Amino acid sequence: MSNHLAIATVTATVQRLLQHSVQTSVEGARVTWARPENQGGNVPETGITLYLYHLKRNTAFGNADSPGRQRRSDIARRNQLAIDLYYLLSFYGDGGELEPHRLLGSTLQLFEDQALLTSRMVRETLADPTYGYLADSDLAEQLEMMRFELLPLSTDELSKIWSVFFQTPHALSVCYKVTVVMIEGREPGQRALPVRDRRLGIAPFTQQPVVEQVLAATGRYDPILANSVLRIHGRLLAATTVQVRICGVEVTPTQVSETDIVVPLQAVPREAMQVGVQSLQIVHQRSRTPERRQPAATVMTLAPTAVAVESNVAPFVLRPTIERLQVHQESSLDDEPRRVTFTVTVDVPLRPGQRALLCLNERSADAPKAYVFETERILETTTTLTFSTYQLLPGDYLVRLQVDGAESVLQVDQNPQSPTFEQYIAPLCSIS
């Protein structure tokens, strides 16, 4: 980022680079940033005018910029503006000795050799006492690269630029763009203090359990099925009485520690489960003794009451298992596609409104075919789905069921002596 002196610093740096370059090409040539016109004597008899005639917002950096304000209009960080600067370079001198042409060639050569406006060039300009009024510029600290780009303007476009100079004779000219210059606002941003720890406990339960991960006990990346054992990882999980709430049912875990809880999903009734994303909470049952109340005549003490302290809700994906697959196909000629009906029975009930897909992949290394079929809308709780398919070519197909994005698991051949070792082998159906 850079401050309000960025534009002037770019102009001064380009002028300085050009001045050093043209002196070796045409003796006595000067580079100024005056308007290319004769009035006032600012245009050199021999030299170059560097005129900033236009600037434009850089759309690439503008679109990539994240919002600088929060929802309540609080400034999250300093605003920034990415701009491109457009310069008109005009060349003057003795036409008989082709001085304008020599100056143009020297300029083109310079910008080809020095295609980038580097931080070193900017610092050398700021160190020059001639540019003392730019001492507070911080353009040299800009991280984004600045480069020179020759604009391929047509004769008509160049004439439109010159039309703004009233009664000024045309001179040999070329246009360059300097991109990108980042100007930062002065209004300071507001940032909150960094978070030291994630603690979800609120008064009066400062020891609220926190669930961080829900995994299959067999492995971090293993799928979670209806007969899986869950390992719950978190903080402050242990208590005198611990229950795990899964699918709205509270079950007792088999192992409990401060950081881990183990609970089998088989403890949850199948009718309470649902394929797809499930919620899980840790529930601590604690006792709280109310304050004593002392009426005028008697003293009465109330019995302790149970208070439930709940953790945050953690999600996990329960994947279905195909328990039975029935295939009914209509007879047809050998080369014709088949109409096939699949009846799939799963281990976990499917609920109304869920979306189920049947995925078929041919077990073949030669251009295997693949199909996806969708069942009709599920209107009632069921464990059996029917898929009516058509245009199904003969072959052996691996079958998967996908419910709300949760896919059934394919069986892998674990026999090292088998020709299909470490390949998917089931569920499999044959269409003949």
Side-chain angles (χ1 to χ4, degrees):
M1 305 299 169
S2 48
N3 56 20
H4 67 286
L5 296 174
I7 298 175
T9 305
V10 171
T11 303
T13 304
V14 176
Q15 186 264 348
R16 180 175 173 276
L17 292 174
L18 287 172
Q19 186 65 58
H20 290 175
S21 176
V22 300
Q23 286 178 350
T24 61
S25 301
V26 178
E27 184 178 358
R30 295 188 302 115
V31 180
T32 68
W33 43 70
R35 287 170 56 92
E37 54 189 6
N38 293 329
Q39 292 84 354
N42 292 325
V43 176
E45 294 183 358
T46 302
I48 305 173
T49 58
L50 175 68
Y51 180 62
L52 177 63
Y53 72 92
H54 184 57
L55 62 83
K56 191 176 182 180
R57 182 178 182 181
N58 187 289
T59 55
F61 281 89
N63 293 337
D65 185 21
S66 58
R69 294 181 180 270
Q70 299 175 354
R71 291 181 300 174
R72 295 178 295 179
S73 298
D74 295 336
I75 298 178
R77 57 171 179 75
R78 294 181 187 268
N79 294 326
Q80 63 181 26
L81 176 64
I83 58 174
D84 298 332
L85 304 180
Y86 293 79
Y87 288 94
L88 175 68
L89 285 75
S90 303
F91 306 92
Y92 301 88
D94 186 353
E97 296 185 2
L98 298 178
E99 287 181 347
H101 295 243
R102 290 154 58 189
L103 292 172
L104 172 60
S106 177
T107 300
L108 296 175
Q109 185 181 53
L110 170 67
F111 288 142
E112 285 300 312
D113 290 340
Q114 306 289 343
L116 299 179
L117 188 62
T118 63
S119 298
R120 178 183 58 81
M121 298 176 186
V122 175
R123 290 191 179 95
E124 291 175 354
T125 301
L126 298 178
D128 191 334
T130 307
Y131 307 101
Y133 48 84
L134 300 176
D136 294 334
S137 174
D138 56 359
L139 181 64
E141 308 304 324
Q142 176 176 305
L143 299 179
E144 287 75 14
M145 179 177 61
M146 294 177 288
R147 57 186 175 85
F148 301 104
E149 182 179 332
L150 176 64
L151 298 180
L153 299 181
S154 64
T155 304
D156 181 62
E157 292 172 327
L158 192 59
S159 65
K160 290 180 180 179
I161 295 176
W162 273 93
S163 66
V164 301
F165 307 116
F166 182 67
Q167 293 184 349
T168 300
H170 176 268
L172 181 64
S173 303
V174 68
C175 292
Y176 268 90
K177 178 175 71 172
V178 178
T179 180
V180 58
V181 179
M182 309 294 293
I183 298 181
E184 189 178 37
R186 292 187 299 177
E187 190 70 20
Q190 303 174 7
R191 297 189 64 182
L193 293 174
V195 178
R196 295 181 56 192
D197 194 8
R198 296 179 298 169
R199 297 186 180 180
L200 304 180
I202 56 176
F205 308 116
T206 57
Q207 297 299 312
Q208 181 181 18
V210 178
V211 177
E212 297 176 347
Q213 284 182 318
V214 180
L215 309 170
T218 54
R220 181 183 184 88
Y221 301 104
D222 288 351
I224 297 178
L225 308 176
N227 58 354
S228 297
V229 176
L230 297 183
R231 180 173 296 276
I232 306 166
H233 182 72
R235 294 181 286 109
L236 307 176
L237 301 182
T240 304
T241 304
V242 179
Q243 296 286 309
V244 180
R245 183 180 297 156
I246 304 175
C247 306
V249 178
E250 294 186 5
V251 297
T252 302
T254 56
Q255 298 179 24
V256 177
S257 68
E258 283 293 324
T259 58
D260 290 281
I261 288 179
V262 176
V263 58
L265 275 180
Q266 291 181 335
V268 181
R270 289 292 176 93
E271 59 272 13
M273 293 186 178
Q274 178 177 329
V275 175
V277 179
Q278 303 294 316
S279 62
L280 180 146
Q281 275 185 297
I282 305 299
V283 181
H284 290 176
Q285 296 292 344
R286 296 180 178 177
S287 298
R288 181 179 64 185
T289 303
E291 298 180 357
R292 293 183 176 181
R293 294 183 300 175
Q294 186 172 1
T298 61
V299 176
M300 181 176 62
T301 303
L302 299 179
T305 59
V307 179
V309 181
E310 301 176 349
S311 71
N312 58 302
V313 177
F316 69 94
V317 178
L318 180 62
R319 300 171 67 169
T321 299
I322 298 178
E323 292 188 331
R324 186 171 57 181
L325 176 64
Q326 295 177 312
V327 180
H328 178 267
Q329 60 185 45
E330 298 180 3
S331 59
S332 59
L333 299 178
D334 292 342
D335 297 334
E336 291 184 355
R338 273 64 167 163
R339 295 183 62 89
V340 183
T341 301
F342 293 87
T343 303
V344 182
T345 302
V346 294
D347 58 339
V348 178
L350 306 182
R351 308 296 179 183
Q354 289 193 293
R355 180 170 179 261
L357 302 176
L358 186 69
C359 306
L360 305 180
N361 294 86
E362 186 182 16
R363 288 193 75 248
S364 173
D366 184 17
K369 296 176 285 296
Y371 302 90
V372 176
F373 301 100
E374 184 174 1
T375 187
E376 297 180 358
R377 182 179 179 85
I378 301 175
L379 301 178
E380 59 183 11
T381 302
T382 181
T383 58
T384 302
L385 297 174
T386 301
F387 296 85
S388 298
T389 67
Y390 55 92
Q391 300 296 322
L392 189 61
L393 294 175
D396 295 333
Y397 293 92
L398 292 166
V399 181
R400 289 172 295 156
L401 180 67
Q402 185 183 93
V403 180
D404 288 350
E407 278 191 1
S408 61
V409 180
L410 294 174
Q411 181 181 346
V412 180
D413 190 353
Q414 303 292 344
N415 183 8
Q417 308 302 324
S418 173
T420 58
F421 178 55
E422 291 190 343
Q423 296 182 19
Y424 292 125
I425 57 174
L428 187 69
C429 69
S430 296
I431 305 301
S432 57

